[in-house]
């Protein structure tokens, strides 16, 4: 009975009900967190509810991630590799992390997703100028829960051009399997397939300075 109960729990998977592949930042708020991840959802709140200046951009959604993984049949292979791995062996985990990341980077972008990304890019540059480059930011589902934080574990790609956006997108997705992220998920009990990697694509700003602000006492 215990084994059957465990099997039922493990076979459950959160489904992405909204199938939009791209969402403009102008349309994002906390209600879209299951589609764009909490990081970009919070940024949408700042931009669209508080009317604070935020760079223009768009999000490649959880539905896009699911399509990429599904059409390349990656989840089955990832699961197989994890099942055969000794997760207590840090050297083997390092190799596993590298293998899975290379598997993702060598996979193809589905054609309709590629078209959607290019259309979003063209729409963005019509507002910001043809010389615009992008910052690609990870915004994984479950990344900023109250009881957990994946801060610094996923990748950002800066000054991404039109020629390199697909490769940069795959680099950010692949960072879901960085050694830090894998070991953190294993130790915290997160199911791998429940964490879809959304990617925020935002126009780079010619900044004078950068920094961090804490909204609560850390």
């Amino acid at each position: 009975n215990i084994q059957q109960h465990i099997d039922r729990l493990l076979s459950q998977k959160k489904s992405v009900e909204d199938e939009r592949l791209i969402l403009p930042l102008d349309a994002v708020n906390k209600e879209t967190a299951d589609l764009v991840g909490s990081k970009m959802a919070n940024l949408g709140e700042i931009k669209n509810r508080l009317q604070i200046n935020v760079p223009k951009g768009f999000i490649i959604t959880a539905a896009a991630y699911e399509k990429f993984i599904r059409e390349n049949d990656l989840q089955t292979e990832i699961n197989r590799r994890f099942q055969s791995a000794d997760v207590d062996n840090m050297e083997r985990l390092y190799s596993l992390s590298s293998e899975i990341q290379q598997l993702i980077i060598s996979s193809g972008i589905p054609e309709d997703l590629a078209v959607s990304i290019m259309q979003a890019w063209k729409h963005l540059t019509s507002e910001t100028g043809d010389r615009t480059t992008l910052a690609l930011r990870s915004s994984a589902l479950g990344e900023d829960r109250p009881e957990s934080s994946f801060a610094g574990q996923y990748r950002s790609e800066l000054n991404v051009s039109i020629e390199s956006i697909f490769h940069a997108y795959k680099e950010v997705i692949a960072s879901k399997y960085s050694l830090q992220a894998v070991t953190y998920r294993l130790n915290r009990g997160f199911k791998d397939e429940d964490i879809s990697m959304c990617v925020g694509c935002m126009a780079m700003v010619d900044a004078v300075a950068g920094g961090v602000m804490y909204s609560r006492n850390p």
Side-chain angles (χ1 to χ4, degrees), residues 11-114:
S11 65
Q12 293 173 0
K13 184 181 185 306
K14 296 177 182 177
S15 59
V16 178
E17 296 180 357
D18 193 325
E19 297 183 353
R20 286 176 290 179
L21 303 179
I22 303 289
L23 211 59
L25 191 55
D26 290 342
V28 168
N29 55 44
K30 64 183 179 181
E31 279 78 36
T32 59
D34 285 345
L35 187 61
V36 301
S38 55
K39 182 188 292 182
M40 296 308 296
N42 289 332
L43 203 56
E45 287 283 308
I46 292 171
K47 176 179 174 61
N48 300 317
R49 294 196 196 275
L50 301 182
Q51 305 297 312
I52 294 174
N53 286 340
V54 171
K56 293 181 180 297
F58 58 91
I59 298 92
I60 308 174
T61 67
Y65 170 83
E66 295 288 347
K67 173 181 272 294
F68 174 81
I69 294 295
R70 183 176 61 253
E71 295 199 8
N72 287 288
D73 198 22
L74 290 172
Q75 196 64 56
T76 301
E77 179 62 20
I78 290 168
N79 291 345
R80 186 189 67 78
R81 295 191 184 213
F82 271 118
Q83 288 164 3
S84 62
D86 179 1
V87 296
D88 294 321
N89 184 330
M90 192 56 66
E91 187 173 332
R92 176 58 191 132
L93 268 183
Y94 182 85
S95 299
L96 180 66
S97 164
S98 178
E99 290 167 7
I100 293 175
Q101 289 187 73
Q102 287 304 312
L103 191 66
I104 291 169
I105 291 169
S106 63
S107 297
I109 303 286
E111 185 176 353
D112 52 347
L113 175 56

